[in-house]
Amino acid sequence: MAELQGRLVGVAEFELHRDFGHAEGREAHPGEQRFIHTVAVAPTDRRGGVGRALLAEIARRAQEAGDTFLALVPQDGAEEAGRQAFFQACGLTLYGPAGPGAAWGCPVSEILAVKDTADAAGE
């Protein structure tokens, strides 16, 4: 969870050591990883670094656990393009075929590097 001034502004849910890719026939997937179920930020607090901080915390925990890859499937529907743009800005990329239920992911080190670069730039 993420709080600002005592108010809940974001949440993330993830799963340790899930082999999301191979079980679904995603041959390009590197195997066992940390799978992100949810990253949600209150609309009034978006574009302030909360989502990026939540992803960075997941990446940090993944690294500590020895995981090297993060994966997720962005929710379809309203604001889908915005969600995909956010994940791409954080370092995740589409792997496998595009379309509903398409998987996105990247090495843990990519998320941490993008967060470090954003922090250095004051974002």
Side-chain angles (χ1 to χ4, degrees):
M1 294 189 298
E3 291 183 9
L4 287 174
Q5 300 174 346
R7 147 184 98 76
L8 181 64
V9 295
V11 296
E13 179 184 11
F14 54 91
E15 185 175 337
L16 299 174
H17 309 297
R18 180 170 181 207
D19 187 354
F20 170 73
H22 293 152
E24 282 76 23
R26 300 175 199 274
E27 294 185 21
H29 195 277
E32 207 169 85
Q33 79 301 135
R34 182 148 307 196
F35 185 80
I36 301 168
H37 292 282
T38 304
V39 174
V41 176
T44 56
D45 294 288
R46 291 183 183 155
R47 306 198 66 80
V50 174
R52 189 180 302 270
L54 287 167
L55 280 178
E57 180 61 18
I58 294 169
R60 185 189 65 75
R61 292 182 186 194
Q63 189 174 55
E64 286 178 356
D67 291 334
T68 60
F69 196 82
L70 298 178
L72 58 83
V73 175
Q75 182 181 15
D76 296 333
E79 300 180 26
E80 178 180 0
R83 282 188 287 278
Q84 290 178 352
F86 165 73
F87 292 125
Q88 189 171 21
C90 290
L92 290 106
T93 58
L94 177 69
Y95 65 88
W104 287 61
C106 70
V108 168
S109 58
E110 296 276 329
I111 295 283
L112 295 173
V114 168
K115 174 71 167 108
D116 290 344
T117 300
D119 286 349
E123 295 177 8

